[in-house]
Amino acid sequence: MASSCSQALRHHVCKSSRLLRVHLQKSWTNRSFEGAVCVSSSFALNSAADQQPAVSSPEEIVIPKKKTWSKEAVLQALASTVKRDPTASDYRFQDDPYLTPKTSSEFKLFSLSQESGRNAAKYFINTYPKYFQKDYAQPHIPCLMPDTLEAQIEEVSEAALIERIGMRKVKAAVDLYDQLLQAGTSVSLDVTNQLLDLICFYGDHDPAQENVPEQRNEETEDVQDEPQAKKGRAAKASDLLKATWKEKNNAERIFALLSEPNKHSYSALIRGMVKYGAYSKAFSTYTDLLNSRLKADMHMFNALITAAPEVKEKYNEKWELIVDLLKQMAEQKVRPNLLTLNAVLKALRRCGTVGKSQAFPVISEMKALSIDLSLASYTHLLAIFYKPGAPIQGQTDILQEVMNEVSGKSFTPQDPDDAQFFITAMRICLDTKDMEQAYRVHELLGVGENWRLLGNDFQQNIYYARFFSLLCMMENIDVMLKWYRDLVPSVYYPSSNVMRDLLQALDTDNRLDLIPQIWKDIKQLGHANRQNLVEELLTLMAREKHNQEVQESFAECALDIKKIYDTGDRGKVLLNWTAGSLSDLISVLLAAHRRQDAWDMLKLFKTHNRVPSEELLNKFLMCVKEGGEVNQAVELVQISAGFCLPGTPKLIQRVQQEFELTEQQRKMLSDLEIQSFNSE
Amino acid sequence: MFPTCCRIPNSALSYSSVISSGEDMAGAAGGSNALFCKNMATSLVRKTKLLSMVSSQLNSAACFRNIHCTAACLKNRAARIRVAKGDKPVTYEQAYHPHHIGHRKGWLSQHTSNLQGEDGAAERVVEDVFIRRFMYGTFHGCLADEVVIKRRGNLLLICAVMIQKLLPSKFYFLIGYTEELLSHFYKCPVKIEMQTVEEKVVYKYL
């Protein structure tokens, strides 16, 4: 303590002497010789003070700024120590084996049933709000109060119209507007513009109510560009929802009633037309706007650029129209934003080779206007250069460049097409067989908030299916299994195609001993009723000879598979036997020396009308010889003769030679021999 | 002498003492009124004191019975299943009696209102009763054991063990419904943690 005090004192002395020196230096030039003496004495003092240990160096001590932690800092630090648990299912579900979903259909069923329970509760809460009015929460939690679904203001006035617009009741608002006009009260332009916005946004329909359990719960009215695998289901849903711009709808009518539409009204109308597919009308409305010498705004231009590829046919014309629009935008001094860039890039996707040449210039111009690219821009860029189904011509560097730009950054959702990035990137990695970029894409998913941009469950499934197929193709089996154990089934439920890819990967790497484990997973995932998957499994098991314990496990697996083939409780047949699958199964059982089971299976040939192959019977005979069952050998020959197989004589000969037969058996065999000889 | 079910107010006591010494008052002349009154007062006070002493002794517990207005709390019979023939299956929770709480049983309802200086215990009890009845009715026939209610900060956690009587999708429907309804009712987040068993877990047969 004393030393620090003395140090502080020394510091103070240093400081003050420094200050003194500074002051003296300032007045140096004015001083005469006497001043110099003073200065030198102070210098002596200074040097004495300076001969201190190195701690009190001539620099200032910088006291660091006080760090302020947010309220959740401790919780965030604790959370960063915990990683995702690969053995647990999604956080939505209860942690119980009976209640965990095991297949992707169960996943969807359980999450949807939970949602519908919530909707049922919301229905009761909103129908009987008086029981839920008591407010215990301090501070007040508005989302836990019942919603007011009915409009409060009943009289015909502008305030009532504003209220209905706020509650998104399209039809009620339009009716009220008509009533107001009939009553003679004029409605202000602002309110009319709001009404136009409402109608154009919802396309003249009332938005689907969330809380009514009877209706379907898909409210997204955006059109998804990405072709979906389940075309049947998706096509039906989107047909129902994709409203089109009707000929004489309320928006146009109200617009026509306006005496002086301003640019907001035009903007609402054009954007509504483009959203609901009336593209040429949108352009004609735009020419009306220009004729009335009003200025357009940015949203209008964005909508028109989106509509441009729809109104022209050839690539050049499309591009010229877009350039024209951009020039007008510059003339009217409207500043483009990110959505403009994305609209241009999306339009360039439909412009073929023009798109490839113009994409980068557009991006550089936008960057000059300091617009940062979002994931949607990168998606469109990748889609321009990597068309699905087109042969790859050494363009892998674009993906690499994009990944270089994007790695390590955390993105926020700014455009609805941001959610397509990961799927598009993974599709390109799969097409170009680029494992390294695939790992980088997957790593990007773990950065910051990017996991939100993976999309809904369906898109997540597509992403992981592509990732897994790529892994099966490119990586060796250990790496593949590591990913498999990490992601399945906590994040992803593989489809049967992916399981087939996995089996092929096992085959390539000679790890067929893992087949019984994979079979267990296949059963759990609910793919045990896929004919081709099961048959492929059996073929792989029967193909080669392995060591004893592997054969044992194969035999167990084979018996398990047999159970699937047998008819279910109500006689419902899940799978049909084929000759190939039966023979494979029997060979597997024979290789594990399960003669009795194999013998029972042989009977099935007759019952299911299938013909066994020659080599199967030969194999069987060899096994029977090892066991020494003469009766079985003779029965085998009888079965073979029963099927009129061409190899029957050879079989008879073999039995005659290798076995010790009784008289009766010998006679039977010679009869059969004559019979088969005659039939040839 | 005194009636058994009510107390005698003090004013009546003093009046009765006046009555008992009534002859003196009737014959009092006007002249010596003041002196007479003073004598009267002191004798009255003495008699009142004597009377109240006697009545207070008679008021002691041995002689009085007050009116009961509530039902009797049969503390010897609450939450106990009595030993019977031996064919009644009983869970662990039911088998142990309330004096085993803290020793062999845990608590079914966990909150901090019973700590020193905390309030709201009564409200928590009412909420718990409602929640238990709600769970019993919503998951009718599925509850394998009592519902455990835990409060962590703002969160209300309902832990229940269910029998696998319904399909999992139906369970999830009811879970979503319960969570949403109770959250809106109590204005705090409500979560359900559920575990399922195949049948009710029997501890012993009583």
Side-chain angles (χ1 to χ4, degrees):
Chain A
M1 232 282 277
S3 61
S4 64
C5 277
S6 61
Q7 270 193 0
L9 196 60
R10 260 178 257 138
H11 235 293
H12 195 66
V13 165
C14 260
K15 257 193 182 168
S16 47
S17 57
R18 226 174 294 136
L19 279 168
L20 190 60
R21 183 167 31 150
V22 164
H23 280 302
L24 287 171
Q25 276 177 351
K26 274 191 199 150
S27 50
W28 185 289
T29 50
N30 299 342
R31 283 286 181 176
S32 62
F33 187 66
E34 302 90 68
V37 171
C38 283
V39 167
S40 60
S41 63
S42 67
F43 264 121
L45 177 65
N46 221 2
S47 56
D50 275 343
Q51 279 164 11
Q52 300 304 323
V55 175
S56 53
S57 56
E59 295 123 32
E60 300 267 339
I61 289 183
V62 177
I63 301 171
K65 283 210 177 93
K66 178 172 176 176
K67 229 177 184 178
T68 45
W69 298 98
S70 73
K71 287 193 187 149
E72 300 98 26
V74 175
L75 289 174
Q76 282 170 351
L78 284 173
S80 66
T81 62
V82 181
K83 304 243 177 1
R84 190 182 67 84
D85 180 8
T87 58
S89 65
D90 202 54
Y91 68 91
R92 289 173 244 199
F93 302 116
Q94 301 289 326
D95 193 11
D96 183 66
Y98 183 69
L99 296 174
T100 338
K102 294 182 189 60
T103 71
S104 64
S105 50
E106 271 185 18
F107 184 96
K108 208 190 296 184
L109 178 66
F110 294 171
S111 46
L112 283 178
S113 44
Q114 195 164 16
E115 266 311 303
S116 69
R118 291 215 182 96
N119 288 341
K122 279 216 98 75
Y123 169 75
F124 281 114
I125 293 164
N126 291 331
T127 320
Y128 303 101
K130 64 179 174 175
Y131 299 116
F132 297 92
Q133 299 288 1
K134 187 163 179 189
D135 197 8
Y136 301 97
Q138 284 166 1
H140 179 65
I141 304 176
C143 72
L144 290 179
M145 299 300 285
D147 296 333
T148 40
L149 288 180
E150 297 304 320
Q152 305 289 13
I153 311 177
E154 286 302 325
E155 60 196 12
V156 177
S157 71
E158 210 167 296
L161 182 61
I162 294 175
E163 195 194 2
R164 276 164 185 74
I165 292 174
M167 290 171 68
R168 307 285 186 260
K169 290 181 184 282
V170 177
K171 286 198 168 49
V174 170
D175 290 337
L176 192 63
Y177 182 78
D178 288 334
Q179 281 179 4
L180 276 172
L181 283 188
Q182 276 177 359
T185 46
S186 67
V187 188
S188 68
L189 191 59
D190 278 339
V191 178
T192 323
N193 279 342
Q194 283 180 28
L195 179 65
L196 273 176
D197 276 339
L198 183 72
I199 301 175
C200 293
F201 185 78
Y202 287 113
D204 216 8
H205 303 277
D206 268 317
Q209 293 293 328
E210 281 184 50
N211 305 326
V212 183
E214 306 97 65
Q215 291 179 10
R216 283 264 132 217
N217 280 338
E218 294 191 16
E219 299 141 32
T220 52
E221 305 193 41
D222 306 338
V223 178
Q224 284 194 333
D225 276 349
E226 186 78 16
Q228 295 179 357
K230 291 189 186 166
K231 270 224 162 74
R233 192 193 75 90
K236 265 189 263 172
S238 55
D239 279 342
L240 280 173
L241 293 172
K242 187 176 170 182
T244 45
W245 190 259
K246 296 201 225 5
E247 265 302 317
K248 291 184 176 35
N249 64 7
N250 289 319
E252 290 182 10
R253 182 172 61 86
I254 293 176
F255 185 77
L257 288 172
L258 279 175
S259 54
E260 278 188 19
N262 70 350
K263 76 172 182 188
H264 193 115
S265 342
Y266 273 104
S267 169
L269 198 62
I270 290 178
R271 288 163 78 187
M273 283 174 175
V274 170
K275 183 171 178 183
Y276 289 100
Y279 304 112
S280 30
K281 265 201 182 169
F283 274 99
S284 49
T285 319
Y286 177 62
T287 29
D288 288 339
L289 170 81
L290 291 177
N291 289 343
S292 39
R293 275 185 234 120
L294 286 171
K295 293 224 177 258
D297 66 355
M298 175 182 61
H299 301 288
M300 215 187 301
F301 276 115
N302 288 347
L304 286 170
I305 293 173
T306 318
E310 308 282 347
V311 290
K312 299 278 186 208
E313 288 300 324
K314 298 174 74 173
Y315 297 153
N316 293 336
E317 288 173 18
K318 290 183 196 179
W319 177 239
E320 277 164 21
L321 182 57
I322 294 174
V323 171
D324 198 30
L325 281 168
L326 287 170
K327 283 201 185 122
Q328 287 180 19
M329 206 165 155
E331 272 172 42
Q332 297 188 18
K333 303 219 182 1
V334 175
R335 220 180 151 69
N337 75 344
L338 173 66
L339 295 174
T340 322
L341 170 63
N342 285 347
V344 174
L345 286 174
K346 195 165 177 182
L348 280 176
R349 273 167 86 159
R350 319 240 333 238
C351 287
T353 43
V354 177
K356 285 190 191 170
S357 52
Q358 295 295 338
F360 282 111
V362 167
I363 291 179
S364 24
E365 270 196 45
M366 292 290 179
K367 272 196 182 164
L369 287 166
S370 63
I371 297 178
D372 286 323
L373 298 181
S374 79
L375 280 182
S377 342
Y378 291 115
T379 314
H380 297 313
L381 191 63
L382 287 173
I384 290 173
F385 283 95
Y386 295 93
K387 296 266 184 259
I392 311 298
Q393 293 146 353
Q395 285 163 338
T396 46
D397 32 348
I398 297 203
L399 178 61
Q400 208 166 15
E401 279 174 40
V402 167
M403 289 314 298
N404 287 343
E405 283 267 339
V406 163
S407 294
K409 288 195 209 156
S410 173
F411 289 92
T412 49
Q414 286 162 312
D415 185 308
D417 287 323
D418 284 342
Q420 308 289 335
F421 175 74
F422 286 103
I423 305 184
T424 318
M426 199 46 83
R427 168 179 70 82
I428 293 168
C429 291
L430 185 61
D431 287 340
T432 58
K433 314 249 186 310
D434 196 339
M435 200 64 233
E436 194 193 312
Q437 299 306 321
Y439 281 136
R440 288 177 84 182
V441 171
H442 196 70
E443 218 180 286
L444 182 63
L445 205 53
V447 173
E449 300 279 306
N450 290 347
W451 59 271
R452 294 178 197 272
L453 294 173
L454 188 51
N456 59 11
D457 297 326
F458 189 71
Q459 287 168 326
Q460 209 176 6
N461 256 346
I462 299 178
Y463 173 80
Y464 279 113
R466 289 177 177 162
F467 186 50
F468 264 96
S469 310
L470 189 61
L471 276 174
C472 287
M473 259 195 282
M474 303 295 294
E475 288 283 358
N476 71 357
I477 197 63
D478 294 321
V479 174
M480 170 67 214
L481 282 176
K482 180 181 81 78
W483 280 107
Y484 182 77
R485 275 187 214 105
D486 193 36
L487 293 174
V488 173
S490 51
V491 171
Y492 170 57
Y493 296 96
S495 61
S496 61
N497 295 333
V498 174
M499 295 312 286
R500 285 181 73 181
D501 288 342
L502 180 61
L503 285 175
Q504 278 169 10
L506 284 178
D507 190 18
T508 321
D509 270 352
N510 255 337
R511 291 298 304 276
L512 291 175
D513 49 318
L514 293 171
I515 285 186
Q517 291 174 21
I518 304 290
W519 166 246
K520 271 202 217 111
D521 286 342
I522 289 177
K523 253 201 315 186
Q524 201 188 37
L525 288 168
H527 295 313
N529 52 0
R530 309 268 174 175
Q531 185 104 2
N532 40 10
L533 186 61
V534 177
E535 283 179 13
E536 189 159 331
L537 201 72
L538 284 171
T539 322
L540 280 175
M541 278 203 291
R543 219 174 44 188
E544 290 148 10
K545 193 111 173 86
H546 300 267
N547 66 8
Q548 192 54 36
E549 38 185 73
V550 175
Q551 291 295 152
E552 272 302 314
S553 59
F554 278 7
E556 291 295 325
C557 187
L559 285 172
D560 206 21
I561 294 178
K562 174 171 172 273
K563 279 191 217 129
I564 307 276
Y565 271 97
D566 292 338
T567 50
D569 305 341
R570 296 166 209 162
K572 185 174 130 180
V573 178
L574 292 168
L575 290 171
N576 286 319
W577 286 112
T578 63
S581 57
L582 262 181
S583 340
D584 288 331
L585 225 161
I586 294 179
S587 350
V588 172
L589 288 171
L590 284 175
H593 305 293
R594 305 262 183 124
R595 229 163 301 124
Q596 191 49 43
D597 296 318
W599 189 252
D600 296 331
M601 299 255 6
L602 208 52
K603 309 270 173 42
L604 283 176
F605 270 109
K606 194 78 188 190
T607 43
H608 289 270
N609 288 332
R610 304 272 183 255
V611 180
S613 66
E614 243 182 75
E615 46 177 290
L616 179 69
L617 290 173
N618 279 333
K619 239 190 274 180
F620 217 116
L621 194 64
M622 270 198 300
C623 261
V624 167
K625 194 171 107 181
E626 281 170 30
E629 281 282 326
V630 186
N631 290 333
Q632 272 193 354
V634 177
E635 272 189 57
L636 203 67
V637 176
Q638 280 176 330
I639 290 172
S640 167
F643 281 111
C644 299
L645 289 178
T648 316
K650 262 183 261 156
L651 210 61
I652 296 174
Q653 269 183 352
R654 271 188 71 188
V655 171
Q656 281 172 337
Q657 282 167 5
E658 294 167 16
F659 285 86
E660 292 182 13
L661 301 164
T662 64
E663 267 309 310
Q664 201 183 13
Q665 287 168 340
R666 225 176 268 280
K667 194 165 159 300
M668 221 187 311
L669 278 177
S670 46
D671 282 341
L672 283 172
E673 207 173 347
I674 297 167
Q675 214 177 23
S676 62
F677 189 70
N678 285 343
S679 63
E680 266 174 37
Chain B
M1 195 161 99
F2 293 95
T4 54
C5 63
C6 53
R7 293 169 180 276
I8 300 172
N10 284 336
S11 49
L13 277 174
S14 54
Y15 196 63
S16 59
S17 62
V18 166
I19 289 171
S20 57
S21 55
E23 297 89 338
D24 294 338
M25 275 184 75
S32 58
N33 245 352
L35 193 62
F36 182 71
C37 278
K38 200 171 163 191
N39 280 339
M40 194 61 167
T42 47
S43 69
L44 265 175
V45 163
R46 239 188 302 129
K47 283 201 178 112
T48 321
K49 273 196 189 155
L50 200 60
L51 211 52
S52 55
M53 221 165 49
V54 167
S55 66
S56 66
Q57 277 174 9
L58 286 172
N59 265 348
S60 64
C63 311
F64 260 111
R65 275 221 192 128
N66 296 328
I67 302 179
H68 284 269
C69 306
T70 58
C73 302
L74 291 172
K75 290 184 188 164
N76 297 331
R77 301 199 65 92
R80 283 160 214 265
I81 297 189
R82 304 273 157 174
V83 176
K85 280 242 170 61
D87 54 353
K88 182 161 52 176
V90 139
T91 64
Y92 187 91
E93 185 71 40
Q94 293 164 333
Y96 284 103
H97 296 160
H99 62 268
H100 289 128
I101 291 177
H103 303 273
R104 300 184 201 178
K105 289 209 294 190
W107 279 264
L108 287 179
S109 171
Q110 298 176 3
H111 55 84
T112 57
S113 313
N114 288 327
L115 297 176
Q116 164 87 343
E118 301 285 339
D119 54 357
E123 286 92 352
R124 301 294 91 79
V125 170
V126 173
E127 284 170 18
D128 282 358
V129 171
F130 180 82
I131 290 170
R132 281 175 211 285
R133 281 173 192 249
F134 188 86
M135 293 296 285
Y136 182 72
T138 313
F139 294 90
H140 196 77
C142 298
L143 277 176
D145 207 346
E146 294 285 334
V147 171
V148 172
I149 302 177
K150 302 182 188 177
R151 286 177 176 79
R152 287 179 197 159
N154 195 18
L155 177 67
L156 189 64
L157 197 60
I158 302 176
C159 310
V161 182
M162 302 275 173
I163 307 174
Q164 290 170 2
K165 195 173 147 184
L166 300 174
L167 287 175
S169 54
K170 295 200 202 285
F171 269 123
Y172 277 111
F173 178 87
L174 291 175
I175 288 171
Y177 167 77
T178 311
E179 284 185 356
E180 189 76 10
L181 201 78
L182 288 179
S183 302
H184 282 256
F185 195 59
Y186 286 121
K187 309 290 180 233
C188 64
V190 173
K191 293 225 180 307
I192 293 190
E193 283 198 5
M194 190 181 282
Q195 187 197 340
T196 55
V197 287
E198 295 201 2
E199 326 170 310
K200 253 192 184 175
V201 184
V202 177
Y203 179 66
K204 59 181 175 182
Y205 290 90
L206 287 181

